[in-house]
Amino acid sequence: KCNDRSSNGRGLQALQISSVQEDFEVALERAELVVFVGRNDVELIERKGYDKSIVALCSFDIKKEIELFLPIASHTSRSGTFINVDGFVQFSACAIETNHGTQSLISLLATILGDNILTCKDIWDDELGSLEVFASIDFEALQNDTLRINL
C-alpha cells in the first residue's frame, strides 16, 4: 500500500505534466476554460472563487450550473491504459458494452476535433508511441501482458 491513490499518477509523470498543487493553481488561474473529464469537481472551481467557463464530460449528471455537459460512457464501458505507482502499464478492456446514447471519451473528442483517432490503439500509435518513455512498448503486447516503463 502507498499514499498515492490515483490510478494514473505516474502517467502524469511520464507525460511530463506537473502534479504539484502550486502548478495546478497557477494553471487554473490562467485558464479561461476548465474541462472536467470523468469528474464532478465543479465545486472546486466555485470554492476557490474562480470565474471560469466550465465543461464537464462524465458519465453522471452534474448538479451545478455549467456551460456545457457532455455525457460519456463510464469507466466500465470503455477501454484504456493505466500506469500504476510502480510504473507498470496495464491495458483495461471494456467490461460492459452499452449504448445508452453516450459515446466514449475518445470518440467524442474525435468528433469535436475532427480527427480519426477513435481507439486506444490509435492514441498509442499516433501519440504515445512516439514518446521515448513508451517507445519500447507494443500496444498489441500490452493487451496481453503488463509492461513496465522506466521513469
Side-chain angles (χ1 to χ4, degrees):
K1 296 208 175 219
C2 68
N3 290 335
D4 185 356
R5 296 193 171 271
S6 65
S7 63
N8 214 2
R10 290 295 285 245
L12 292 175
Q13 185 179 359
L15 296 172
Q16 299 179 343
I17 299 171
S18 176
S19 61
V20 175
Q21 181 68 28
E22 292 79 23
D23 293 344
F24 172 74
E25 296 287 338
V26 168
L28 190 56
E29 181 67 38
R30 292 179 181 164
E32 293 179 26
L33 173 68
V34 178
V35 179
F36 289 98
V37 179
R39 299 188 58 106
N40 187 10
D41 296 346
V42 175
E43 293 83 15
L44 170 77
I45 303 299
E46 295 170 345
R47 199 170 42 241
K48 295 281 187 179
Y50 295 119
D51 183 24
K52 305 290 179 180
S53 294
I54 300 174
V55 173
L57 297 93
C58 56
S59 59
F60 45 87
D61 190 19
I62 301 289
K63 300 300 180 199
K64 299 285 181 177
E65 285 195 32
I66 60 173
E67 279 67 29
L68 180 63
F69 169 71
L70 298 171
I72 59 172
S74 74
H75 68 281
T76 59
S77 298
R78 61 181 183 248
S79 58
T81 58
F82 303 91
I83 304 171
N84 75 9
V85 69
D86 296 318
F88 287 101
V89 182
Q90 301 166 313
F91 176 76
S92 175
C94 178
I96 302 170
E97 294 285 341
T98 63
N99 186 1
H100 298 290
T102 59
Q103 299 180 52
S104 70
L105 175 61
I106 296 171
S107 63
L108 181 63
L109 290 176
T111 301
I112 292 169
L113 299 172
D115 67 27
N116 59 353
I117 297 176
L118 299 171
T119 67
C120 291
K121 182 177 181 339
D122 293 341
I123 291 174
W124 200 273
D125 291 346
D126 293 349
E127 304 292 333
L128 296 178
S130 64
L131 300 176
E132 184 178 333
V133 69
F134 299 115
S136 65
I137 297 179
D138 177 66
F139 187 78
E140 283 76 18
L142 184 59
Q143 291 178 294
N144 299 314
D145 198 6
T146 297
L147 304 170
R148 190 171 194 174
I149 58 171
N150 296 315
L151 295 175

